[in-house]
Amino acid sequence: MKFKSIIFVLLLAIAFFSCDDNDDVKNAEPHLVMRFKFDAAQPRLNNLGQPVAVADGNAAQSPSFNAISSHYIEMAPNANTALGMGTVLYHAPETMAGGEKAIDFSQSKIVGENEIFLSIPLSQVATGSYEWMRVSLSYQDYNINILHQGVDYNGTLASFVGFKTYLTTHHIGNSSFPVNGNREQGYWALNVNGMPFSGQTPAGATTVPNPLYATSPIPPKSCVVTGKFAAPLVITGNETRDVEVTLSLSANNSFEWKEVHVDGKYEPSAGENVVDMGLRGLVPSYQK
């Protein structure tokens, strides 16, 4: 009888914990989840959100992305929604350590393709219908092809496209880049087989596609890339499942330089200067 009593108690405990686990699943709050995707086949857009070719005298390539970070994410109900007046979902940490307000790179969230960048309870997202996504990009990490002294290499580039970024010493592979200050939009650093290069694109030269330029402009150097959902994303407040949003960014010839040797190869040691590192469009999509 004692043995049977023990078995009965164990069965009750298993049943209790099984029910408890099921209740946890049922009561799990649905989230809005966002991931990045990189697509070299997406249209290559200009600042006005219109298709554009590589400028005469320049050359470009489509980088192979390793990671990315964002400074700001917002959903806008319509084309007339001013920047900041939609539903702001994310704002990265900032600092005054460099003398002026800047993105704090040491606290930036950096993710690879299809990794979760943002996950927030849907209860924290205002209900409504959203036609547009606005994503302020701040950091890119990708591989590019380099020509150096007649030899082809594959290098890794860190591209800082936020309005301003505070950096201490950052690293790319085995190369260190001591900065200890703010860097303007367009600062970049490159590791080519252990050889470090760094530079700065012209102020304000980073392309930031915004199809809403006429009704909802963005501040200079904000890097707020804007894209429209194929159908509005409707948040009702009654969701029982996660809403998964994919932010597909165009890497179509997004790394651009001024040619010295007209051969279509990027050769920094020959004085070929980077002129643009802006991603060339945003196509948001969702699954509910």
Side-chain angles (χ1 to χ4, degrees):
M1 289 295 294
K2 187 175 181 181
F3 178 74
K4 289 182 179 179
S5 297
I6 294 172
I7 295 297
F8 179 70
V9 171
L10 287 173
L11 289 172
L12 281 177
I14 291 170
F16 173 78
F17 285 113
S18 296
C19 291
D20 190 53
D21 289 344
N22 289 334
D23 287 341
D24 287 343
V25 172
K26 290 177 183 178
N27 295 329
E29 185 173 1
H31 280 58
L32 178 65
V33 180
M34 292 194 171
R35 295 177 171 87
F36 287 102
K37 176 185 174 183
F38 310 108
D39 189 351
Q42 271 180 220
R44 185 180 194 269
L45 307 180
N46 63 13
N47 285 321
L48 306 182
Q50 301 168 343
V52 66
V54 177
D56 290 342
N58 293 354
Q61 59 179 282
S62 301
S64 176
F65 268 80
N66 302 313
I68 196 164
S69 186
S70 174
H71 173 243
Y72 177 91
I73 298 177
E74 177 182 5
M75 295 195 302
N78 57 61
N80 295 309
T81 306
L83 182 65
M85 298 305 293
T87 294
V88 178
L89 303 171
Y90 178 77
H91 198 132
E94 298 170 343
T95 180
M96 295 289 291
E100 296 179 298
K101 184 174 72 172
I103 299 166
D104 186 351
F105 183 65
S106 69
Q107 296 190 66
S108 293
K109 182 170 183 178
I110 301 169
V111 296
E113 185 170 43
N114 293 324
E115 292 181 355
I116 294 175
F117 180 80
L118 181 67
S119 179
I120 59 174
L122 279 165
S123 60
Q124 297 178 15
V125 181
T127 59
S129 177
Y130 298 97
E131 295 182 3
W132 297 86
M133 285 296 314
R134 312 202 82 161
V135 182
S136 180
L137 303 168
S138 57
Y139 171 74
Q140 307 168 44
D141 178 298
Y142 49 68
N143 294 337
I144 55 173
N145 297 318
I146 313 289
L147 180 65
H148 180 67
Q149 297 180 348
V151 179
D152 289 314
Y153 293 95
N154 185 262
T156 301
L157 186 137
S159 162
F160 296 85
V161 293
F163 70 99
K164 198 185 300 286
T165 305
Y166 176 74
L167 296 155
T168 52
T169 296
H170 68 99
H171 304 270
I172 308 172
N174 56 358
S175 292
S176 298
F177 299 85
V179 176
N180 297 312
N182 288 346
R183 287 295 180 266
E184 297 291 329
Q185 180 187 67
Y187 166 70
W188 57 269
L190 173 66
N191 178 11
V192 184
N193 201 32
M195 297 175 289
F197 300 87
S198 64
Q200 179 79 43
T201 62
T206 301
T207 296
V208 185
N210 176 25
L212 301 182
Y213 68 96
T215 58
S216 183
I218 60 173
K221 301 194 299 182
S222 61
C223 206
V224 181
V225 182
T226 304
K228 188 176 185 179
F229 289 110
L233 170 57
V234 179
I235 303 298
T236 65
N238 298 316
E239 287 81 8
T240 58
R241 300 174 59 183
D242 289 348
V243 176
E244 303 265 353
V245 174
T246 298
L247 305 169
S248 184
L249 297 164
S250 173
N252 187 344
N253 283 327
S254 63
F255 180 79
E256 187 175 354
W257 65 92
K258 187 74 174 176
E259 290 239 88
V260 174
H261 299 150
V262 184
D263 55 7
K265 295 187 176 184
Y266 175 50
E267 192 174 0
S269 57
E272 295 189 339
N273 293 320
V274 181
V275 296
D276 201 340
M277 302 178 294
L279 283 157
R280 290 299 187 137
L282 167 64
V283 177
S285 61
Y286 62 86
Q287 287 186 328
K288 298 182 74 173

